[in-house]
Amino acid sequence: MTKSTDNLLTIAADLNAAGKQVSIKRLPTRKPRKGETWVRQSQHGSGRAMGNVTSGGGGSTGATTTGGGKGMNLNRVYGMGSQMVADLDATRARAKSQYAADRRAAARERLMDKIDAALAL
């Protein structure tokens, strides 16, 4: 027995001698919650990633980025965001003007809704 177990039994014996009814209940061990352990997929080797970043993993091509999960998996990126745009400054300027045009159109639509509501009265 460990020292803590001996201490617990001593306390229980003292309480029983004093006339108190003592029962000892062993609680089950708490299992880890989701995300508290770093799980490795043992069926795919000894915790190593399958393939590597430079080989393409399984013959597929595309830019590679690390995933946002806790497992540190590498996910291929396709579609928007897979490549840097050729002219970033021009793209930012186009996006800025589009955002401004969208805000103006939304304001114009709200104004027309107010006018329609006033005319309906």
PDB file of all heavy atoms in Angstrom, residues 95-108:
ATOM      1  N   ALA A  95     -10.552  45.439 -54.576  1.00  0.00           N
ATOM      2  CA  ALA A  95     -11.393  45.001 -53.463  1.00  0.00           C
ATOM      3  C   ALA A  95     -11.885  46.203 -52.666  1.00  0.00           C
ATOM      4  O   ALA A  95     -13.071  46.268 -52.295  1.00  0.00           O
ATOM      5  CB  ALA A  95     -10.619  44.052 -52.557  1.00  0.00           C
ATOM      6  N   LYS A  96     -11.017  47.180 -52.426  1.00  0.00           N
ATOM      7  CA  LYS A  96     -11.404  48.369 -51.667  1.00  0.00           C
ATOM      8  C   LYS A  96     -12.496  49.143 -52.388  1.00  0.00           C
ATOM      9  O   LYS A  96     -13.479  49.580 -51.781  1.00  0.00           O
ATOM     10  CB  LYS A  96     -10.171  49.249 -51.449  1.00  0.00           C
ATOM     11  CG  LYS A  96     -10.380  50.400 -50.525  1.00  0.00           C
ATOM     12  CD  LYS A  96      -9.068  51.142 -50.284  1.00  0.00           C
ATOM     13  CE  LYS A  96      -9.270  52.298 -49.353  1.00  0.00           C
ATOM     14  NZ  LYS A  96      -8.025  53.037 -49.112  1.00  0.00           N
ATOM     15  N   SER A  97     -12.360  49.309 -53.713  1.00  0.00           N
ATOM     16  CA  SER A  97     -13.381  50.039 -54.467  1.00  0.00           C
ATOM     17  C   SER A  97     -14.690  49.243 -54.517  1.00  0.00           C
ATOM     18  O   SER A  97     -15.776  49.820 -54.454  1.00  0.00           O
ATOM     19  CB  SER A  97     -12.895  50.358 -55.878  1.00  0.00           C
ATOM     20  OG  SER A  97     -12.725  49.167 -56.617  1.00  0.00           O
ATOM     21  N   GLN A  98     -14.609  47.911 -54.584  1.00  0.00           N
ATOM     22  CA  GLN A  98     -15.808  47.083 -54.574  1.00  0.00           C
ATOM     23  C   GLN A  98     -16.533  47.178 -53.237  1.00  0.00           C
ATOM     24  O   GLN A  98     -17.760  47.275 -53.189  1.00  0.00           O
ATOM     25  CB  GLN A  98     -15.456  45.624 -54.885  1.00  0.00           C
ATOM     26  CG  GLN A  98     -16.662  44.716 -54.971  1.00  0.00           C
ATOM     27  CD  GLN A  98     -17.591  45.078 -56.112  1.00  0.00           C
ATOM     28  OE1 GLN A  98     -17.160  45.275 -57.233  1.00  0.00           O
ATOM     29  NE2 GLN A  98     -18.876  45.201 -55.813  1.00  0.00           N
ATOM     30  N   TYR A  99     -15.770  47.174 -52.144  1.00  0.00           N
ATOM     31  CA  TYR A  99     -16.380  47.295 -50.820  1.00  0.00           C
ATOM     32  C   TYR A  99     -17.092  48.638 -50.682  1.00  0.00           C
ATOM     33  O   TYR A  99     -18.199  48.718 -50.147  1.00  0.00           O
ATOM     34  CB  TYR A  99     -15.343  47.152 -49.715  1.00  0.00           C
ATOM     35  CG  TYR A  99     -14.611  45.825 -49.702  1.00  0.00           C
ATOM     36  CD1 TYR A  99     -13.333  45.718 -49.177  1.00  0.00           C
ATOM     37  CD2 TYR A  99     -15.193  44.667 -50.227  1.00  0.00           C
ATOM     38  CE1 TYR A  99     -12.663  44.514 -49.164  1.00  0.00           C
ATOM     39  CE2 TYR A  99     -14.524  43.464 -50.217  1.00  0.00           C
ATOM     40  CZ  TYR A  99     -13.256  43.393 -49.685  1.00  0.00           C
ATOM     41  OH  TYR A  99     -12.587  42.199 -49.676  1.00  0.00           O
ATOM     42  N   ALA A 100     -16.454  49.713 -51.167  1.00  0.00           N
ATOM     43  CA  ALA A 100     -17.072  51.038 -51.094  1.00  0.00           C
ATOM     44  C   ALA A 100     -18.346  51.079 -51.938  1.00  0.00           C
ATOM     45  O   ALA A 100     -19.367  51.643 -51.508  1.00  0.00           O
ATOM     46  CB  ALA A 100     -16.082  52.101 -51.549  1.00  0.00           C
ATOM     47  N   ALA A 101     -18.305  50.497 -53.124  1.00  0.00           N
ATOM     48  CA  ALA A 101     -19.488  50.474 -53.987  1.00  0.00           C
ATOM     49  C   ALA A 101     -20.615  49.674 -53.333  1.00  0.00           C
ATOM     50  O   ALA A 101     -21.790  50.072 -53.411  1.00  0.00           O
ATOM     51  CB  ALA A 101     -19.135  49.878 -55.346  1.00  0.00           C
ATOM     52  N   ASP A 102     -20.272  48.571 -52.654  1.00  0.00           N
ATOM     53  CA  ASP A 102     -21.283  47.778 -51.957  1.00  0.00           C
ATOM     54  C   ASP A 102     -21.914  48.565 -50.819  1.00  0.00           C
ATOM     55  O   ASP A 102     -23.133  48.503 -50.602  1.00  0.00           O
ATOM     56  CB  ASP A 102     -20.670  46.483 -51.423  1.00  0.00           C
ATOM     57  CG  ASP A 102     -20.316  45.500 -52.533  1.00  0.00           C
ATOM     58  OD1 ASP A 102     -20.812  45.682 -53.665  1.00  0.00           O
ATOM     59  OD2 ASP A 102     -19.540  44.562 -52.260  1.00  0.00           O
ATOM     60  N   ARG A 103     -21.089  49.326 -50.082  1.00  0.00           N
ATOM     61  CA  ARG A 103     -21.635  50.144 -48.999  1.00  0.00           C
ATOM     62  C   ARG A 103     -22.563  51.224 -49.544  1.00  0.00           C
ATOM     63  O   ARG A 103     -23.634  51.482 -48.979  1.00  0.00           O
ATOM     64  CB  ARG A 103     -20.501  50.784 -48.195  1.00  0.00           C
ATOM     65  CG  ARG A 103     -19.794  49.823 -47.258  1.00  0.00           C
ATOM     66  CD  ARG A 103     -18.936  50.552 -46.258  1.00  0.00           C
ATOM     67  NE  ARG A 103     -17.964  51.439 -46.874  1.00  0.00           N
ATOM     68  CZ  ARG A 103     -16.740  51.096 -47.261  1.00  0.00           C
ATOM     69  NH1 ARG A 103     -16.343  49.844 -47.104  1.00  0.00           N
ATOM     70  NH2 ARG A 103     -15.919  51.976 -47.793  1.00  0.00           N
ATOM     71  N   ARG A 104     -22.167  51.881 -50.652  1.00  0.00           N
ATOM     72  CA  ARG A 104     -23.022  52.916 -51.251  1.00  0.00           C
ATOM     73  C   ARG A 104     -24.346  52.314 -51.737  1.00  0.00           C
ATOM     74  O   ARG A 104     -25.413  52.897 -51.550  1.00  0.00           O
ATOM     75  CB  ARG A 104     -22.294  53.599 -52.405  1.00  0.00           C
ATOM     76  CG  ARG A 104     -21.232  54.585 -51.945  1.00  0.00           C
ATOM     77  CD  ARG A 104     -20.737  55.452 -53.086  1.00  0.00           C
ATOM     78  NE  ARG A 104     -20.072  54.688 -54.147  1.00  0.00           N
ATOM     79  CZ  ARG A 104     -18.772  54.393 -54.162  1.00  0.00           C
ATOM     80  NH1 ARG A 104     -17.995  54.808 -53.199  1.00  0.00           N
ATOM     81  NH2 ARG A 104     -18.271  53.705 -55.157  1.00  0.00           N
ATOM     82  N   ALA A 105     -24.278  51.140 -52.370  1.00  0.00           N
ATOM     83  CA  ALA A 105     -25.495  50.490 -52.869  1.00  0.00           C
ATOM     84  C   ALA A 105     -26.421  50.106 -51.708  1.00  0.00           C
ATOM     85  O   ALA A 105     -27.649  50.265 -51.804  1.00  0.00           O
ATOM     86  CB  ALA A 105     -25.139  49.256 -53.690  1.00  0.00           C
ATOM     87  N   ALA A 106     -25.860  49.636 -50.604  1.00  0.00           N
ATOM     88  CA  ALA A 106     -26.673  49.270 -49.443  1.00  0.00           C
ATOM     89  C   ALA A 106     -27.332  50.510 -48.841  1.00  0.00           C
ATOM     90  O   ALA A 106     -28.508  50.481 -48.469  1.00  0.00           O
ATOM     91  CB  ALA A 106     -25.822  48.556 -48.400  1.00  0.00           C
ATOM     92  N   ALA A 107     -26.576  51.612 -48.769  1.00  0.00           N
ATOM     93  CA  ALA A 107     -27.141  52.862 -48.244  1.00  0.00           C
ATOM     94  C   ALA A 107     -28.252  53.373 -49.157  1.00  0.00           C
ATOM     95  O   ALA A 107     -29.303  53.834 -48.688  1.00  0.00           O
ATOM     96  CB  ALA A 107     -26.044  53.905 -48.088  1.00  0.00           C
ATOM     97  N   ARG A 108     -28.035  53.274 -50.473  1.00  0.00           N
ATOM     98  CA  ARG A 108     -29.052  53.717 -51.438  1.00  0.00           C
ATOM     99  C   ARG A 108     -30.318  52.860 -51.297  1.00  0.00           C
ATOM    100  O   ARG A 108     -31.442  53.365 -51.336  1.00  0.00           O
ATOM    101  CB  ARG A 108     -28.485  53.619 -52.853  1.00  0.00           C
ATOM    102  CG  ARG A 108     -29.341  54.266 -53.919  1.00  0.00           C
ATOM    103  CD  ARG A 108     -28.670  54.250 -55.283  1.00  0.00           C
ATOM    104  NE  ARG A 108     -27.398  54.978 -55.285  1.00  0.00           N
ATOM    105  CZ  ARG A 108     -26.204  54.425 -55.554  1.00  0.00           C
ATOM    106  NH1 ARG A 108     -26.130  53.159 -55.864  1.00  0.00           N
ATOM    107  NH2 ARG A 108     -25.116  55.148 -55.534  1.00  0.00           N
TER     108      ARG A 108
END
